[in-house]
Amino acid sequence: MIRESRTTTAGTHRVLVDDGHFLWGDKYQERERQGLIQSDKNCIACGRGTSRQGKGYGVLVSGGGAVIVHPDDYVTYPHDGGEMGWFPIGSECIKQIPREFRVRGTVS
Ligand SMILES: [Zn+2]
C-alpha cells in the first residue's frame, strides 16, 4: 500500500494506492477458491467474516478497486477507473490502514 496525494482539477486528494495484494488480494482469492466467501460482509483483504453485530470499520474504495480514498476527499475525488463505495475490513486487517482512512460502516 502506497500513500500519496493526487492533485486534480477538483483539488488535492489523499489516497492509498494498493500494491495489488491487499484489496481482494491473495488471501481473499484463496478463501474465495475454497468457497468461503459467503457475503459482502467478508473482509475485502483476507476474506474472513467481519463483525456479526453489523458494525465495523471499512474503507472507501475507488479506481475499480485499486485505491482507498480519504473520507474527507471522497466526494470530490474524480473516481477514475470506477467509484466503488464502502467495503468492510476486519479488525485485524484494518490495523494496516492509517487511522484517518478508516470509516465506520453498517453492514446490514
Ligand atoms: Zn481481514
Side-chain angles (χ1 to χ4, degrees):
M1 204 96 68
I2 304 150
R3 187 175 186 164
E4 60 179 54
S5 289
R6 289 184 172 175
T7 304
T8 69
T9 51
T12 303
H13 304 90
R14 292 156 283 180
V15 299
L16 299 171
V17 180
D18 187 33
D19 61 3
H21 297 283
F22 186 73
L23 300 177
W24 294 282
D26 310 340
K27 290 182 191 169
Y28 184 96
Q29 286 172 34
E30 180 55 34
R31 288 184 77 79
E32 193 168 49
R33 262 194 298 276
Q34 295 170 14
L36 297 172
I37 307 292
Q38 284 154 0
S39 77
D40 55 6
K41 294 177 190 174
N42 289 61
C43 171
I44 58 169
C46 70
R48 294 181 184 278
T50 55
S51 172
R52 294 275 172 247
Q53 289 75 44
K55 287 180 182 171
Y57 281 104
V59 291
L60 293 169
V61 182
S62 187
V67 175
I68 293 170
V69 183
H70 190 287
D72 291 345
D73 298 349
Y74 191 76
V75 172
T76 56
Y77 189 72
H79 299 291
D80 296 332
E83 177 176 2
M84 296 182 68
W86 186 89
F87 287 90
I89 292 189
S91 55
E92 278 305 309
C93 297
I94 200 74
K95 292 173 184 169
Q96 296 181 52
I97 304 292
R99 218 166 274 277
E100 69 267 28
F101 283 86
R102 302 176 191 175
V103 178
R104 233 184 224 295
T106 302
V107 181
S108 54

